[in-house]
Amino acid sequence: MGWVAMTLPDATRSDRIYPLLQNLDLENLAFATLQGTGETLNIEEMNEDELRRLVLVNLARLSVKGEWNGLLTASTSSVGNMLAVAPPSASFDYDLSGQSQGSQASNVTFTEDTLYMMPFTVPAQISASDIKFGIPSGTFNGTFYVAIYACDSSTNLPAVKVDSASASISSTGDKSISFASGATLAANTLYYASISWARTSGSCTYAGGYYEYGRSGLPISAASAISTNSGGCLTYAAAGTPPTPLTTGSIGVLVGAGPKIRMDV
């Protein structure tokens, strides 16, 4: 007797997934809508057909929209969770500058009216209390700004400001600027921390990181030679208080050493 393929039995009528979503097309179906439709389903055998439909609709949505919200960001085991390690105690900070190879630039010209933006993630929901950076040299006076930006999910570039703070500084050394009420950040979500300053007088430098191989994944000018140093951080020209939202086409890339930035929570 030969092998006989057994077909699946006919599925039951959809009482939830299709009736609730029937007036939407895949292009305009948001993950939040799909999530709300399926989150009340109990995980049991009688709901197997509806659970299959939920997965099918989401895969169809992803194939049309080309984005993976829900598969990469809803779980604490996502790729983003591997990109940061939580400080084991209050005596530690998040190091947002990461680690790359090459030469270290400890004194980099800190151009005024320019946001230097460093991408980062955190493995758990936190409230950021302050941003730390270094000013190793200079004779100057001015207002220094820190900010955190949420990214545009379609480009992963900084877009909308989560919070910002400022302080008047006229001396060198390690600096810390605190947020008024703490910036709430979600787990496994890409953000950007920025530092900038508005010059009253003089000039200064920032403490830079290792730069010859830069940060993995940052863009670089297509016209540059392959031997060119990699990007160290993103930049954005803006005077005074960090603006929101940022204009994507105005975002630049600093080739070389980006600033060393830390965050306290």
Side-chain angles (χ1 to χ4, degrees):
M1 181 177 178
W3 177 80
V4 178
M6 301 297 293
T7 59
L8 292 173
D10 291 338
T12 60
R13 176 183 174 85
S14 177
D15 295 323
R16 182 170 185 80
I17 303 302
Y18 291 158
L20 292 179
L21 300 176
Q22 64 181 345
N23 294 322
L24 299 174
D25 56 49
L26 293 173
E27 177 63 26
N28 295 304
L29 175 59
F31 172 69
T33 301
L34 188 67
Q35 183 181 44
T37 303
E39 63 186 0
T40 57
L41 285 172
N42 293 326
I43 304 174
E44 53 185 332
E45 186 174 0
M46 66 179 294
N47 285 331
E48 181 177 354
D49 289 332
E50 289 291 69
L51 292 171
R52 289 178 178 178
R53 292 184 184 103
L54 185 68
V55 174
L56 176 63
V57 172
N58 195 33
L59 289 176
R61 181 186 72 90
L62 294 172
S63 69
V64 170
K65 295 174 70 68
E67 52 96 351
W68 299 92
N69 288 341
L71 294 184
L72 297 182
T73 59
S75 169
T76 56
S77 60
S78 70
V79 174
N81 195 35
M82 306 176 195
L83 301 181
V85 177
S89 70
S91 60
F92 292 85
D93 293 331
Y94 281 99
D95 183 356
L96 307 186
S97 302
Q99 182 63 54
S100 55
Q101 304 176 30
S103 302
Q104 184 176 15
S106 57
N107 295 275
V108 181
T109 299
F110 199 159
T111 303
E112 68 272 18
D113 300 333
T114 299
L115 275 63
Y116 294 86
M117 300 178 289
M118 194 70 69
F120 72 95
T121 63
V122 290
Q125 180 173 308
I126 64 165
S127 178
S129 60
D130 56 82
I131 296 293
K132 300 178 179 181
F133 58 97
I135 305 176
S137 64
T139 301
F140 62 94
N141 184 35
T143 302
F144 286 73
Y145 300 89
V146 298
I148 295 177
Y149 283 89
C151 74
D152 182 332
S153 62
S154 65
T155 63
N156 277 349
L157 292 171
V160 178
K161 185 170 63 178
V162 176
D163 205 349
S164 65
S166 64
S168 296
I169 299 175
S170 58
S171 62
T172 58
D174 292 343
K175 304 300 176 183
S176 178
I177 299 178
S178 300
F179 296 109
S181 57
T184 300
L185 306 179
N188 309 321
T189 302
L190 184 63
Y191 293 97
Y192 286 80
S194 77
I195 62 172
S196 59
W197 76 299
R199 182 174 63 90
T200 301
S201 63
S203 62
C204 63
T205 64
Y206 63 71
Y210 291 83
Y211 67 92
E212 286 183 357
Y213 297 98
R215 290 182 61 90
S216 175
L218 282 183
I220 192 167
S221 171
S224 63
I226 299 300
S227 58
T228 301
N229 290 334
S230 298
C233 70
L234 300 183
T235 60
Y236 193 90
T241 302
T244 189
L246 300 184
T247 302
T248 299
S250 298
I251 295 174
V253 178
L254 171 70
V255 176
K260 296 178 70 67
I261 301 177
R262 295 180 181 179
M263 181 175 67
D264 192 14
V265 300

